[in-house]
Amino acid sequence: MLTNEIAACCKGLKLSHNMVEMADMVQADSHPEYLLKLLRSELEHRETQRKDKFLKNAGFYSIKTFRRIPL
């Protein structure tokens, strides 16, 4: 029930679904510390996604050969 509300808030704020998943995993002693850890997790997730996107677009993982393609 609470997870659905968190997901709806994340969607409204244009946050990733990662926030919903991390909401149950983050452990903290106070509310501000919990929020800080959750937001840091989201920033790390976005940075990882951004790097993965750039690497994919760069084509570093595509296999290239010297074999000539006949016309």
Side-chain angles (χ1 to χ4, degrees), residues 13-42:
L13 293 169
K14 298 192 190 285
L15 297 173
S16 72
H17 200 271
N18 181 56
M19 291 279 283
V20 177
E21 295 170 6
M22 293 301 295
D24 293 332
M25 292 187 228
V26 173
Q27 299 290 324
D29 295 330
S30 65
H31 293 295
E33 183 182 356
Y34 171 81
L35 182 59
L36 178 63
K37 287 182 178 183
L38 192 60
L39 291 173
R40 281 185 179 163
S41 165
E42 177 65 14

Side-chain angles (χ1 to χ4, degrees), residues 6 17 22-23 28 33 35 46 55-56 60-62 64:
I6 293 171
H17 200 271
M22 293 301 295
E33 183 182 356
L35 182 59
R46 287 184 181 200
L55 283 173
K56 183 179 176 185
F60 291 135
Y61 296 120
S62 59
K64 297 181 175 66

